[in-house]
Amino acid sequence: MLFRGTAAAVAFFVAAGPAAAHAEAPAGRWSVVHDQPRDSYDAVTVTPGGAVWVAGTRRPDRASSRTESLLLKGGRTAFKRVTGPGFRVRRLASASDTRVWAFGSSRYARWDGKRWQVKRWRHGRVDRAYSIGQNLWVIENSNTFPAAGDAGWKARSTLRRLTGSVWRKVGTPIVVKGLDGKWAAGSARGRAALARWTGTAWRAVALPAIPSAHSGQISELTDVAVDGETGRVMAVGWVAWPCGGAKRSFCGETLLLSGYLGDFDFEVRGEPGIQPRAQAEPDGRGGAWVVYDAKGGGSGFLHIGTDGVEPGAFPAPPNRKASVRDLAVQLGTGSVWAVGAAPSRRGGLIWTYRR
């Protein structure tokens, strides 16, 4: 094993009422801090100043099947509905309290601290958005490895960067699925790959061979997290190989990468298996959180510490398995936020982890 035992504390917290838990989250564990039965949350971003923006939808009443766009803003103790940009927001990114970006299917907008500036979006589906330093990036039209496997599957995505007022397509040596800092995670020719931004271009980074090779094996990194103080790079992905009959069903495992430029190591874990949508965020203390879809429903996490990896589950109200749809960190802190929803339209949930 590349990583050796560390512990991540998990606490189960039940909101006292249907709207929100207004008590401040306890330190050193994940807690539900907002629970709204009529909501469903899709995206979250946290500004450097600690403002938490959450996008999703709300049903006018519990019996209704109709939904309306929803934007919340809050922090440690409460969330309030705020004026949105006038369209359903599917992705969020932020550089400061006065630079918040919202992306929909045909429009995008920037919050300048007073109002939304809305523009047409003339490109593909925005799957992820990042405000990194002076750069605003989006990953669009990215695909995920299908659960049943596909012998002809090929990774694809498009990376764009805002230059002035123009979104320009950026060439990359890998198919990019996730970004953090100057690093990009994805794959190249069916193999997990990393690339690094030089300030003018992306350059591929040499990686070691993946262990436990199988015939016909393919692999991909789905996201990357970089520790701001040490520069440690941590990435999550999957490795898969054909193991079925004529339909080419695939078996697979979780792939973790950790290390520094020129000194990386892989670990292959049988559990939680293939995770084509796993997301990673730094934990603010040298490690990272990895969120994935758990077997049987709901979401689980892997906490990559400085000495090991520990699995865990997100807390949820009784008899509910909540699914995390997005994860965000407040830069320079150990404060991490997650948003999602319970199945069967039974409510939107917001979690936080504070050390």
Side-chain angles (χ1 to χ4, degrees):
M1 295 284 287
L2 166 64
F3 304 104
R4 295 176 298 278
T6 186
V10 181
F12 291 82
F13 179 93
V14 180
H22 295 292
E24 185 171 316
R29 59 189 185 185
W30 283 101
S31 295
V32 175
V33 294
H34 186 84
D35 179 4
Q36 172 53 256
R38 294 186 290 125
D39 291 358
S40 178
Y41 305 132
D42 301 312
V44 59
T45 188
V46 186
T47 70
V52 183
W53 295 74
V54 177
T57 58
R58 172 170 291 176
R59 288 176 288 131
D61 57 73
R62 295 192 183 190
S64 175
S65 59
R66 182 174 61 87
T67 60
E68 57 190 22
S69 298
L70 175 70
L71 192 65
L72 302 178
K73 184 179 179 182
R76 291 184 174 182
T77 59
F79 284 83
K80 294 182 179 180
R81 188 170 187 174
V82 295
T83 301
F87 56 84
R88 179 176 175 182
V89 178
R90 300 182 182 275
R91 288 294 157 207
L92 290 165
S94 61
S96 69
D97 289 342
T98 57
R99 279 198 296 163
V100 179
W101 300 86
F103 294 85
S105 57
S106 61
R107 288 175 287 177
Y108 74 102
R110 174 190 164 180
W111 174 255
D112 64 6
K114 295 181 179 179
R115 61 184 63 86
W116 289 101
Q117 301 172 353
V118 181
K119 295 184 178 181
R120 296 287 299 175
W121 179 256
R122 305 182 185 279
H123 306 289
R125 181 192 68 241
V126 175
D127 296 306
R128 292 189 176 182
Y130 307 85
S131 181
I132 303 173
Q134 298 300 313
N135 293 317
L136 184 64
W137 303 91
V138 297
I139 299 174
E140 64 181 54
N141 294 334
S142 64
N143 64 342
T144 57
F145 189 70
D150 182 353
W153 183 86
K154 291 184 179 180
R156 69 171 187 270
S157 73
T158 297
L159 183 66
R160 291 189 188 274
R161 177 190 178 202
L162 183 62
T163 305
S165 60
V166 179
W167 285 95
R168 300 192 183 280
K169 183 178 178 180
V170 180
T172 58
I174 70 173
V175 179
V176 177
K177 296 299 179 70
L179 298 176
D180 193 16
K182 296 181 178 181
W183 292 86
S187 62
R189 296 175 293 279
R191 295 183 179 179
L194 285 176
R196 196 165 186 267
W197 177 247
T198 66
T200 57
W202 289 96
R203 296 286 184 259
V205 173
L207 297 180
I210 299 173
S212 304
H214 297 264
S215 177
Q217 175 177 291
I218 58 176
S219 57
E220 182 178 64
L221 295 175
T222 61
D223 206 4
V224 59
V226 182
D227 180 66
E229 292 188 6
T230 66
R232 183 188 184 194
V233 179
M234 295 152 283
V236 60
W238 51 265
V239 58
W241 59 90
C243 62
K247 293 185 178 181
R248 299 282 288 182
S249 178
F250 276 64
C251 297
E253 297 173 315
T254 298
L255 185 64
L256 296 179
L257 173 143
S258 180
Y260 303 87
L261 184 62
D263 184 22
F264 289 108
D265 289 296
F266 279 115
E267 178 192 349
V268 177
R269 300 173 64 95
E271 291 293 333
I274 299 177
Q275 293 296 328
R277 297 179 179 84
Q279 184 178 355
E281 289 286 349
D283 66 4
R285 56 187 191 278
W289 296 101
V290 171
V291 177
Y292 63 90
D293 296 331
K295 293 179 180 179
S299 293
F301 66 77
L302 297 175
H303 180 240
I304 303 175
T306 55
D307 297 314
V309 177
E310 183 73 15
F314 282 87
N319 302 316
R320 293 163 67 185
K321 292 182 179 180
S323 176
V324 173
R325 295 175 178 169
D326 200 13
L327 190 69
V329 61
Q330 182 183 357
L331 294 178
T333 75
S335 177
V336 188
W337 295 80
V339 300
S344 302
R345 300 186 302 174
R346 292 184 61 189
L349 294 169
I350 300 176
W351 298 261
T352 189
Y353 181 95
R354 294 177 53 249
R355 49 175 183 166

